[in-house]
Each structure stands twice: as structure tokens, then as C-alpha cells.
């Protein structure tokens, strides 16, 4: 310091001199490094790839020197003279590089090889961006990342921070070509496909592995770029998604078509586990599942939600859903499309197995009563066991479970066919055997929790089969009672007034059930004049409980859709009868016709256990005064395939059953 003051008596601050010297030295150092690395810059016919490689060499050389300066010189300068060595050098180099590279890199990107779509183009490996333009991008990325060693206040003044914008044309072109090349690679992989056996003999195909390897390269290429601008990356990520999802969808289509061409869908070909077509099926759905699983995490790895959130924070409400749907739709639809192909393929397995399963189920159902169910079911279980063991060894777990579900549905269907045939000569023991067999089959397919979970086995189709078995074992009288119980439940859950509404009041006074039919509203028109001639039939159910109570009816109201009845009716019943949970009143609204049969307009049900005088026996009620009106929506039976009606219809020799079915069919909804 003394020497400095002696030599420079008019300059009292050495810090400024040092910074000036650093800037001058940095410029000289930059020019010298540029001369050494830019070997092809002055050639008359410049090879753009070589020039880009020179740029990369320049940036790399500067990076090495910067790192050494940060490591060895920065702390020394700061501790002795308070000079921020790294900050001074970095900011000057940043300006020099921005001025040197900005326009030239942008121009080079516009002239990038491969701009002709017919030109051969090789995808760079995912971990190594193999073209000079992307090597330069990564070198600049490392250079810009060194700004973290600067004070935070200096970051905003750096011009080179938006270096990535120089490369936008190149990235855009590369992604367009990546989609084309991915589809080409998928097609080529399918042509060269071969089976490879993995652990436990699960069969895979090389095409699925090749396809996902290609998708991985595209994804990793984008992740390696680490595009700093989330909002600006939207279109690029959209192209990445399109390239991968389009190629995956193409893979699914050609895989499915290849299997179809092998004759897999031909009806006359029976199911054989040794068949080459079945082996191809296993390979096909394993490949589809392998690719489908790979796609499931794509959105997360591409940071789709973060991009959409950034966009939505800047955009108006009108375009938010459009942006979201455009990006999310292919991520959801492509795996869904692949799952549809898998399920379509799997569904043929059950169809091919149906004939032998039908034969085995017939043997089970019609074996002599002396033969235990465990022995009668043996041929069915043995057939399933032989084929499922082979499939289990060849399929991925998810695919095997799909096959199990499909076969389970076929088994339930065939059991239902035996169960719902002509029931006239079938004793109760017949249905008890099928019920026992159903339990055995559940245990077989569950395999001590190693097969299908019980919650899947006991879904709606199983519940329907079990319910129908119970119904088949019931006497006709009790089956009719069960039907009305379900209609009462329908009444309690009905909120629609599409067929009109009936207003009534009801109470029990000692042993007298008093019902008042007040009016109906919005009755459906059933006459050509646009009106109806409605009247109401009142009936107590179940009939076996109220045999002594004949049905009663109101007067007919002519040409109206909103009839006023104001009529009261009494039935002699006991409080014990009314407390039965099955006790109810059926109100049937009919349209009176003179020359033809009366038309059904709607029905409503009222449970007797909840009416005044039954639910609250401590209160004495002797008239309708003060009782609230009850509005009951009128209903039609919309389930034309109601299991109870179907079962009763099979009882050919049972007049009660057939008459009841005939009556209920008249109450089916027309729409």
C-alpha cells in the first residue's frame, strides 16, 4: 500500500485500479481464449456444426477458468483488497458472450440440420445430447448457473440469463422430428419383434422395451434442458407429450392389429393353452401393459401441473380450461386407449373358454343329488386350474387379474344360465347345490387372497346371481311379497314427479285403518282428447296378511289430469298387522275406459308402520283433523328385467306367478 501511494500520489484508492486491471485482463484473456478455440470461424464455407462446436469449446474453456478463479483467487482478492474478483470477471464475460453468441446461435438454430423432414435424423441419446447445438446449450446452462455465486442484486442485470431463447427454433424443430422418428422406431421395433422370457416365465416382447426406451430418450432430453421459463415451456412440453403419446397409441394399434391378423379373434378357434396364438396374446397384452404403465408417470416427470399453474396465474378464466384440457387429455386418453385394447383382447379369452365352461357347469348342475357338490364341481375346477396356471405364469399380475375377472364373469353367466332355465321341475336342492358351488368358486378365484380380492369377486354380477338363487328357492307368495317390499323402497327414494303425485292422509284408530284420498296432480294423459278419466284403487298388502280386506276404489273423475277425490275409506285391521314391516297400502291410479280395458296411470306405496296411530300408540286419533297431507309420487316400473318377475315368469305351472307377472307388465314404463 505504501508503494502504491508513493507511485500514485494522486490516487488514494487501489481497489478501483485493481478492478480496472481485472477488466482489461479479462478482455485480453477472452480474446486469447477465443482465438484458441474458434478454429473454424473464419473459414469461407463454414460448417455450422463445427462453428457450434467451437462455441461450446469457448464456453467450456471460460467455465474452467472461472471455476479455478472462484476456487483460488476470489477469496484472496476479497480478503486483501475487498475486490469481488469473481463478480467482476463473470459480469464482463457474460456481456462478451452475450454479444458474441446471441445472434449467431439464433441464426445457427434456424439453419439446423434436419429442417427437411425427409432428411435422415438420428435421435441423440437421452443422457448425452449428441448434437453440437445442444452441447452448446448445456455449456451455457452451466455458465448461467454460476451466477448463484454473485450477489442476488446482480442477477437482474445479466443479459445472458435468457440464453435459452436463442435455442427455441432448434428445440421446436427437434421435437417435430422426434415425433416422426419415434413412430418410425416403433414401427421398426414391431417388425423386428421377438419374445423374451423373464423371471417366472412372464413373456415380454422386445418392441415394448424398444418403444419405452425411445420415449425415455425424448423425455430425458427435455428434462436435461431444464427449461427455465415454465410459462414459455408450455408448447414444448405439449410437443413432448404429443410425440410420446402419439407413438404409444401407434404402438398399441399395430400390436393389436398384429394379434388380430394371427387369427386370435376368429370364432371357430377353441381355447388351448399350448396354442401359439395364445402365446402371442400373452406377449401382446404384456407389452401393452408395460408401455401403459410407463406413460402413467409422464405428466409428473414433465412437471405438467406446475406449468399449468404458472399459466393459469397469468391467464384469464376463459382460456384456462382450454390449456389444461389440451395438455391433460392425451396423458389420460392414451393409457385409457391402451387399456381398452387390453380389455378387448382379454374378453376373447372368456369367450373362447365359454363352451367347455358351459359343459362343466351343466355337469355340476345336473349331477345326481347323491353326488356331493365338491365332487360335482371337480371337472369345472380342474379345467380352470389347468388353464389359469399356464396364464398365470405367462402374464403380468395386472393382466392375469384382468383375465381372472373376465373368466369369473363368464362362470357367473353360465351358472345363471343353468339357474334361470325352466324352473318347473327343479327342486329346492337344485338351487342349494348351485349356491354351495358359488361359494366354492369364490374361494377358488380368491385363492386365499392370492387371486382376485373378495370385493371384486362380490361385485354386482355376483350379487345378482346370489340374489337370484335366493329368489329361486322362495315360494311364489313370499317372492311376490319381496317384490312389493322393493317397490316400497323405491317409493321412499323416488323424488321424480314425471307421472304425477297423489295426496293422501292416513291414521289408525283402534282396529280401523282410515285412508283419505284427497287429490292427484299432473296425472299422465291416456285418452285421445289429451286428458284421462282417473280413479284410484286402494289395496292392502301383502294379501296373505289382509285376506279379509277387499280392495276399494274412488269414483271416476272425467276429463281431468288434476282430479279432486276427497274420499275416505276404512279397513278393519289390527295394530299388530300394521306394525309388520311388510304391511303397506298400494294406491293404483287408473284411467277409466268404457269399451276397452282400463289403462294404468301410476302407483304409489305407503308403509303402515309409520302412520299416526301405529308409530305413536300413546296418541289417540279419531279423525283427519290436524293430520298433515302426504304427497306420494306416482311410479311406473322401469326395470323390465326385474329378477323376481323373470323368475316368476319361468314358473309355467304356477297360475299365481303368471297372473302376477301379467299384471306387473301392464305397469312397465313405456320409456
Amino acid at each position: 500500500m505504501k508503494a502504491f501511494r508513493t507511485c500514485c500520489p494522486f490516487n488514494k484508492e487501489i481497489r478501483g485500479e485493481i478492478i480496472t486491471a481485472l477488466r482489461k485482463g479479462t478482455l485480453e484473456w477472452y480474446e486469447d481464449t477465443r482465438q484458441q478455440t474458434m478454429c473454424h470461424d473464419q473459414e469461407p464455407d463454414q460448417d455450422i456444426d463445427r462453428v457450434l462446436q467451437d462455441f461450446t469449446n469457448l464456453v467450456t474453456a471460460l467455465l474452467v477458468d472461472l471455476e479455478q478463479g472462484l476456487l483460488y483467487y476470489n477469496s484472496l482478492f476479497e480478503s486483501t483488497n475487498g475486490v469481488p474478483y469473481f463478480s467482476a470477471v463473470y459480469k464482463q464475460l457474460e456481456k462478451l458472450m452475450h454479444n458474441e453468441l446471441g445472434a449467431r446461435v439464433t441464426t445457427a438454430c434456424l439453419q439446423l440440420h434436419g429442417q427437411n423432414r425427409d432428411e435422415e435424423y438420428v435421435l441423440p441419446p437421452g443422457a448425452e445430447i449428441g448434437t453440437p447445438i445442444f452441447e452448446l446449450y448445456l455449456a451455457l446452462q452451466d455458465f448461467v448457473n454460476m451466477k448463484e455465486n454473485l450477489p442476488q442484486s446482480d442477477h437482474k442485470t445479466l443479459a445472458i440469463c435468457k440464453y435459452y431463447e436463442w435455442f427455441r427454433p432448434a428445440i421446436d424443430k427437434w421435437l417435430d422430428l422426434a415425433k416422426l422418428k419415434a413412430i418410425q422406431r416403433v414401427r421398426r421395433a414391431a417388425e423386428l419383434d421377438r419374445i423374451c422370457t423373464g423371471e417366472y416365465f412372464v413373456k415380454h416382447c422386445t418392441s415394448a422395451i424398444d418403444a419405452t426406451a425411445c420415449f425415455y430418450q425424448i423425455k430425458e432430453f427435455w428434462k436435461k434442458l431444464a427449461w427455465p421459463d415454465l410459462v414459455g415451456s408450455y408448447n414444448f412440453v405439449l410437443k413432448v407429450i404429443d410425440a410420446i403419446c402419439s407413438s404409444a397409441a401407434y404402438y398399441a394399434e399395430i400390436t393389436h392389429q398384429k394379434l388380430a391378423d394371427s387369427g386370435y379373434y376368429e370364432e371357430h378357434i377353441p381355447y388351448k393353452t399350448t396354442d401359439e396364438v395364445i402365446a402371442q396374446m400373452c406377449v401382446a397384452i404384456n407389452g401393452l401393459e408395460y408401455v401403459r404403465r410407463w406413460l402413467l408417470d409422464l405428466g409428473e416427470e414433465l412437471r405438467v401441473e406446475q406449468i399449468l399453474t404458472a399459466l393459469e396465474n397469468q391467464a384469464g378464466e376463459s382460456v384456462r380450461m382450454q390449456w389444461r384440457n389440451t395438455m391433460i387429455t392425451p396423458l389420460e386418453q392414451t393409457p385409457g386407449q391402451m387399456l381398452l385394447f387390453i380389455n378387448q383382447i382379454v374378453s376373447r379369452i372368456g369367450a373362447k373358454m365359454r363352451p367347455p365352461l358351459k359343459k362343466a357347469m351343466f355337469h355340476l348342475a345336473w349331477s345326481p343329488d347323491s353326488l356331493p357338490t365338491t365332487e360335482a364341481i371337480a371337472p369345472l375346477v380342474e379345467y380352470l386350474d389347468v388353464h389359469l396356471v399356464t396364464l398365470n405364469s405367462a402374464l403380468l399380475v395386472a393382466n392375469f387379474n384382468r383375465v381372472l375377472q373376465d373368466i369369473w364373469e363368464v362362470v357367473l353367466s353360465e351358472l345363471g344360465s343353468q339357474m334361470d332355465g325352466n324352473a318347473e321341475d327343479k327342486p329346492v336342492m337344485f338351487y342349494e347345490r348351485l349356491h354351495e358351488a358359488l361359494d366354492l368358486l369364490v374361494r377358488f378365484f380368491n385363492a386365499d387372497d392370492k387371486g382376485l380380492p373378495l370385493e371384486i369377486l362380490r361385485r354386482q354380477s355376483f350379487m345378482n346371481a346370489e340374489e337370484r338363487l335366493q329368489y329361486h328357492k322362495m315360494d311364489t307368495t313370499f317372492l311376490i311379497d319381496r317384490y312389493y317390499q322393493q317397490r316400497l323402497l323405491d317409493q321412499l327414494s323416488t323424488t321424480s314427479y314425471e307421472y304425477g303425485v297423489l295426496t293422501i292422509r292416513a291414521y289408525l284408530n283402534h282396529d280401523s285403518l282410515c285412508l283419505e284420498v284427497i287429490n292427484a296432480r299432473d296425472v299422465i294423459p291416456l285418452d285421445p282428447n289429451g286428458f284421462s278419466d282417473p280413479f284410484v284403487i286402494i289395496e292392502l298388502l301383502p294379501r296373505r296378511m289382509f285376506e279379509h280386506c277387499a280392495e276399494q276404489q274412488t269414483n271416476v273423475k272425467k276429463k281431468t289430469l288434476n282430479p279432486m277425490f276427497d274420499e275416505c275409506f276404512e279397513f278393519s285391521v289390527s295394530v299388530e298387522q300394521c306394525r309388520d314391516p311388510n304391511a303397506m297400502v298400494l294406491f293404483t291410479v287408473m284411467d277409466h275406459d268404457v269399451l276397452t280395458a282400463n289403462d294404468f296411470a301410476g302407483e304409489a306405496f305407503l308403509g303402515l308402520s309409520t302412520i299416526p296411530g301405529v308409530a305413536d300408540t300413546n296418541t289417540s286419533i279419531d279423525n283427519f283433523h290436524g293430520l298433515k297431507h302426504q304427497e306420494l309420487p306416482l311410479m311406473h316400473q322401469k326395470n323390465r328385467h326385474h329378477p323376481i318377475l323373470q323368475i316368476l315368469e319361468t314358473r309355467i305351472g304356477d297360475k299365481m306367478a303368471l297372473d302376477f307377472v301379467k299384471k306387473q307388465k301392464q305397469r312397465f314404463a313405456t320409456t
Side-chain angles (χ1 to χ4, degrees):
M1 185 63 72
K2 290 181 179 180
F4 173 75
R5 288 175 179 171
T6 302
C7 296
C8 304
F10 303 105
N11 192 335
K12 298 181 179 181
E13 181 55 64
I14 192 174
R15 185 173 180 274
E17 294 295 327
I18 294 175
I19 291 176
T20 301
L22 277 176
R23 288 174 178 169
K24 182 179 179 182
T26 299
L27 178 59
E28 293 174 355
W29 168 42
Y30 176 82
E31 291 296 337
D32 183 62
T33 305
R34 186 182 181 284
Q35 289 294 326
Q36 295 179 30
T37 56
M38 300 292 289
C39 304
H40 306 89
D41 193 32
Q42 303 302 324
E43 294 180 357
D45 296 325
Q46 292 181 351
D47 184 324
I48 192 64
D49 281 347
R50 290 184 177 181
V51 173
L52 290 172
Q53 187 62 57
D54 287 348
F55 285 154
T56 304
N57 294 337
L58 171 62
V59 176
T60 302
L62 296 178
L63 269 171
V64 171
D65 286 339
L66 272 174
E67 289 172 353
Q68 290 180 345
L70 180 64
L71 181 63
Y72 297 110
Y73 305 131
N74 189 60
S75 58
L76 179 63
F77 273 76
E78 285 189 344
S79 61
T80 56
N81 299 297
V83 174
Y85 169 87
F86 178 81
S87 179
V89 173
Y90 183 87
K91 287 193 287 186
Q92 186 171 7
L93 286 176
E94 177 266 334
K95 291 178 182 177
L96 291 169
M97 289 175 59
H98 179 268
N99 295 334
E100 174 84 23
L101 301 181
R104 298 189 66 181
V105 171
T106 302
T107 302
C109 287
L110 292 171
Q111 300 172 358
L112 181 67
H113 285 312
Q115 58 188 347
N116 183 350
R117 292 197 170 198
D118 295 329
E119 187 176 335
E120 186 63 24
Y121 188 86
V122 179
L123 297 179
E128 302 172 3
I129 308 301
T131 57
I133 193 72
F134 300 123
E135 290 178 351
L136 176 58
Y137 178 96
L138 293 179
L140 285 169
Q141 184 183 81
D142 291 339
F143 181 87
V144 171
N145 287 341
M146 290 195 74
K147 74 179 186 297
E148 300 304 322
N149 297 291
L150 298 177
Q152 191 68 31
S153 58
D154 289 343
H155 289 188
K156 295 181 180 180
T157 63
L158 301 177
I160 204 171
C161 282
K162 291 200 174 183
Y163 70 97
Y164 52 88
E165 294 292 347
W166 307 342
F167 297 85
R168 187 174 286 276
I171 305 294
D172 194 60
K173 289 182 180 180
W174 188 90
L175 290 174
D176 286 339
L177 291 167
K179 176 180 177 180
L180 296 176
K181 291 301 174 179
I183 291 175
Q184 291 175 11
R185 182 165 170 179
V186 165
R187 181 170 60 247
R188 186 63 175 161
E191 292 171 356
L192 301 175
D193 202 8
R194 60 186 177 84
I195 297 174
C196 50
T197 304
E199 191 177 3
Y200 303 115
F201 306 103
V202 174
K203 292 182 174 62
H204 293 277
C205 53
T206 55
S207 61
I209 298 171
D210 289 344
T212 52
C214 175
F215 304 157
Y216 176 83
Q217 290 176 3
I218 298 173
K219 179 197 70 176
E220 287 302 307
F221 165 78
W222 173 252
K223 290 175 66 176
K224 191 77 173 179
L225 294 182
W227 199 263
D229 179 16
L230 272 180
V231 173
S233 69
Y234 176 84
N235 287 330
F236 287 151
V237 173
L238 201 59
K239 285 195 171 188
V240 172
I241 292 172
D242 179 52
I244 293 176
C245 289
S246 297
S247 303
Y250 180 65
Y251 171 80
E253 290 172 4
I254 59 178
T255 300
H256 181 257
Q257 187 59 48
K258 187 176 180 181
L259 183 63
D261 293 342
S262 71
Y264 177 73
Y265 288 104
E266 294 181 12
E267 296 289 340
H268 65 277
I269 299 179
Y271 181 86
K272 294 180 181 178
T273 53
T274 57
D275 196 337
E276 180 63 27
V277 174
I278 299 302
Q280 292 179 23
M281 177 275 297
C282 294
V283 171
I285 61 175
N286 280 346
L288 290 171
E289 177 65 12
Y290 184 82
V291 175
R292 189 189 75 86
R293 286 185 189 177
W294 191 93
L295 293 174
L296 295 179
D297 297 326
L298 183 60
E300 182 178 350
E301 295 205 45
L302 295 178
R303 303 176 66 199
V304 165
E305 280 301 327
Q306 292 93 318
I307 293 171
L308 290 173
T309 300
L311 275 168
E312 289 167 357
N313 290 336
Q314 294 188 10
E317 188 67 31
S318 59
V319 295
R320 287 182 184 178
M321 288 309 298
Q322 180 182 348
W323 281 342
R324 177 169 289 275
N325 290 338
T326 302
M327 186 168 277
I328 295 295
T329 298
L331 290 173
E332 293 178 346
Q333 285 187 348
T334 306
Q337 180 185 357
M338 303 190 84
L339 187 57
L340 286 176
F341 278 130
I342 292 172
N343 289 335
Q344 184 178 347
I345 294 169
V346 166
S347 67
R348 290 299 303 157
I349 299 176
K352 288 175 178 291
M353 285 187 174
R354 187 178 288 274
L357 288 175
K358 185 181 187 72
K359 182 178 179 180
M361 191 64 72
F362 180 85
H363 178 273
L364 163 66
W366 295 100
S367 292
D369 293 342
S370 58
L371 189 67
T373 305
T374 52
E375 295 183 24
I377 203 175
L380 174 61
V381 172
E382 288 173 4
Y383 175 83
L384 289 170
D385 192 52
V386 168
H387 292 85
L388 291 178
V389 165
T390 304
L391 288 170
N392 186 34
S393 66
L395 292 173
L396 296 171
V397 173
N399 283 332
F400 180 66
N401 285 338
R402 293 183 182 112
V403 170
L404 275 182
Q405 289 184 54
D406 182 66
I407 296 174
W408 173 240
E409 293 297 327
V410 173
V411 168
L412 289 176
S413 173
E414 290 305 320
L415 186 143
S417 297
Q418 297 299 326
M419 170 177 57
D420 293 332
N422 190 335
E424 186 175 7
D425 299 322
K426 294 178 183 176
V428 173
M429 283 293 297
F430 177 88
Y431 299 108
E432 289 179 349
R433 164 173 283 184
L434 289 181
H435 205 167
E436 185 179 351
L438 184 60
D439 290 337
L440 291 173
L441 287 168
V442 167
R443 278 183 272 171
F444 174 82
F445 277 87
N446 176 251
D448 295 326
D449 294 327
K450 296 177 183 177
L452 290 178
L454 291 176
E455 57 268 21
I456 291 179
L457 289 168
R458 290 174 174 164
R459 285 181 177 173
Q460 193 60 48
S461 53
F462 169 83
M463 300 299 292
N464 291 342
E466 189 174 48
E467 180 184 60
R468 293 172 81 92
L469 281 171
Q470 295 287 0
Y471 289 162
H472 273 296
K473 292 189 287 185
M474 284 185 180
D475 178 79
T476 296
T477 301
F478 288 98
L479 208 51
I480 292 173
D481 291 349
R482 179 65 63 87
Y483 178 83
Y484 281 130
Q485 291 168 21
Q486 294 181 7
R487 293 299 285 157
L488 178 59
L489 293 175
D490 292 340
Q491 182 75 62
L492 297 175
S493 62
T494 296
T495 57
S496 171
Y497 291 86
E498 60 181 311
Y499 302 110
V501 60
L502 182 69
T503 304
I504 60 97
R505 286 193 291 190
Y507 71 90
L508 180 70
N509 181 23
H510 301 298
D511 290 334
S512 179
L513 173 63
C514 302
L515 298 171
E516 181 184 17
V517 179
I518 300 171
N519 61 49
R521 299 195 313 273
D522 301 323
V523 176
I524 58 175
L526 294 170
D527 290 337
N529 59 12
F531 293 99
S532 288
D533 301 326
F535 67 98
V536 182
I537 300 172
I538 303 100
E539 181 181 3
L540 300 189
L541 300 173
R543 292 303 306 155
R544 58 182 173 78
M545 185 184 299
F546 299 104
E547 290 179 338
H548 61 288
C549 297
E551 64 180 38
Q552 303 184 50
Q553 68 180 53
T554 67
N555 294 319
V556 177
K557 303 297 179 181
K558 295 289 187 178
K559 294 183 181 180
T560 180
L561 301 180
N562 299 287
M564 292 293 298
F565 296 108
D566 285 329
E567 298 183 45
C568 297
F569 303 89
E570 289 190 17
F571 295 88
S572 178
V573 297
S574 67
V575 66
E576 288 76 17
Q577 287 177 309
C578 292
R579 284 176 178 169
D580 189 294
N582 298 324
M584 67 186 78
V585 183
L586 167 59
F587 299 93
T588 305
V589 180
M590 302 291 290
D591 169 48
H592 180 264
D593 289 322
V594 177
L595 300 178
T596 59
N598 297 330
D599 298 320
F600 173 74
E603 63 184 6
F605 295 82
L606 175 68
L608 292 179
S609 61
T610 59
I611 67 172
V614 177
D616 49 352
T617 54
N618 295 328
T619 303
S620 177
I621 303 173
D622 55 9
N623 58 57
F624 290 106
H625 181 70
L627 291 181
K628 292 183 179 180
H629 294 180
Q630 285 186 264
E631 291 192 344
L632 304 176
L634 295 174
M635 303 185 299
H636 285 209
Q637 174 58 268
K638 294 186 176 182
N639 184 5
R640 291 178 169 269
H641 305 287
H642 196 287
I644 290 179
L645 298 182
Q646 288 182 330
I647 290 168
L648 289 174
E649 194 170 18
T650 64
R651 299 183 177 181
I652 306 300
D654 189 335
K655 185 176 184 303
M656 179 190 295
L658 298 181
D659 288 346
F660 180 78
V661 172
K662 181 179 179 181
K663 177 181 177 181
Q664 296 307 314
K665 282 187 174 181
Q666 296 171 354
R667 302 182 177 217
F668 282 164
T670 56
T671 57

